[in-house]
């Protein structure tokens, strides 16, 4: 089992550029979560999907952020345009819906917006 | 979801048991207690969870008080690799809405040789 796969692992971009983060969940999992982690705010849930459908996007900071899950094996988190305050580590996690589900996290994407 | 309180940091000697407390005095009857940890520069990792009974797996033991207002995560023989931030989370898992986790500040556990 390859675990949750995220790409790229590191991204450096300039303010105003579009950034796309990618996630491949564990095969068979039907819930997918996007988190953001900063020193100031800790680990925050941005959005999550069940069976490819967005359930709760209340954590998405603003309209510059968007997330999609076109199929069960792929999701993207897009920032357009990016700003320096978006610099953070972005984690994707997946789980299998159920009463005693656990979340499995990817290695994260470290984003630096200059 | 019930709020949790954890000490900001703890130290433990290598080879000794690490006991990490968590207070969740407002927990409701159907909320589970979950523990995750995050080793530096890695994504969080699931450790264990429970409802009311004590639980044990290959990583740790979870002791929940009878009134369920607090719990303790026990790492029986801590190693340097157990140095991490440990998060205690209480949550009602939902078949419909999934297991949305809210992470607090956690406890930084430093295992020292």
């Amino acid at each position: 089992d390859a675990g949750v796969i995220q790409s790229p692992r590191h991204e450096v971009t300039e303010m105003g550029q579009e950034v796309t983060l990618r996630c491949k969940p564990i095969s068979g999992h039907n819930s997918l979560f996007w988190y953001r982690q900063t020193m100031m705010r800790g680990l925050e849930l941005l959005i999550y999907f069940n069976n490819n459908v967005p359930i709760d996007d209340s954590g998405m900071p603003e309209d510059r952020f968007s997330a999609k899950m076109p199929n069960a094996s792929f999701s993207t988190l897009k920032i357009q345009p990016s700003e320096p305050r978006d610099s953070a580590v972005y984690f994707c996690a997946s789980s299998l819906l159920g009463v005693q589900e656990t979340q499995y996290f990817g290695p994260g994407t470290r984003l630096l917006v200059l | 979801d019930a709020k949790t309180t954890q000490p900001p940091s703890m130290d433990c000697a290598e080879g000794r048991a690490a006991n990490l407390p968590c207070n969740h005095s407002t927990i409701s009857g159907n909320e589970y207690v979950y523990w995750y940890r995050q080793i530096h520069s890695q994504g969080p990792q699931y450790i264990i969870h429970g409802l009311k009974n004590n639980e044990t797996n290959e990583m740790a033991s979870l002791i929940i008080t009878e009134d369920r207002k607090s719990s303790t995560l026990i790492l029986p023989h801590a190693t340097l690799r157990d140095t991490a931030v440990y998060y205690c989370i209480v949550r009602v898992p939902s078949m419909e809405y999934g297991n949305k986790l809210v992470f607090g500040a956690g406890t930084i556990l430093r295992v020292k040789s």
Side-chain angles (χ1 to χ4, degrees), chain A residues 35-83:
Chain A
Y35 292 86
R36 177 174 69 174
Q37 187 169 35
T38 62
M39 289 291 293
M40 292 295 295
R41 300 175 65 89
L43 195 59
E44 305 173 278
L45 177 66
L46 300 178
I47 185 172
Y48 76 98
F49 298 81
N50 287 345
N51 297 309
N52 312 338
V53 176
I55 301 300
D56 184 350
D57 65 355
S58 59
M60 295 286 263
E62 50 198 271
D63 292 345
R64 297 185 298 106
F65 285 69
S66 62
K68 294 182 179 179
M69 191 163 187
N71 56 62
S73 58
F74 183 66
S75 177
T76 59
L77 178 67
K78 185 175 294 186
I79 309 172
Q80 166 63 15
S82 58
E83 296 182 3

Side-chain angles (χ1 to χ4, degrees), chain B residues 5 10 23 42 45 51 56 66 69-70 73 78 94-96 100 104 107-108 111-112:
Chain B
T5 303
M10 294 181 64
N23 183 288
Q42 298 182 21
Q45 175 191 26
L51 181 62
T56 295
E66 192 169 341
K69 293 183 183 300
S70 66
L73 178 74
S94 167
M95 286 291 292
E96 180 180 4
K100 176 181 171 180
T107 295
I108 298 172
V111 181
K112 300 183 176 182

Side-chain angles (χ1 to χ4, degrees), chain A residues 37 48 56 99 101 103 110, chain B residues 36 38 41 93 97 99-100:
Chain A
Q37 187 169 35
Y48 76 98
D56 184 350
V99 176
E101 65 189 65
Q103 290 186 23
R110 283 150 184 78
Chain B
Y36 281 75
Q38 187 174 22
S41 297
Y97 297 106
N99 195 359
K100 176 181 171 180

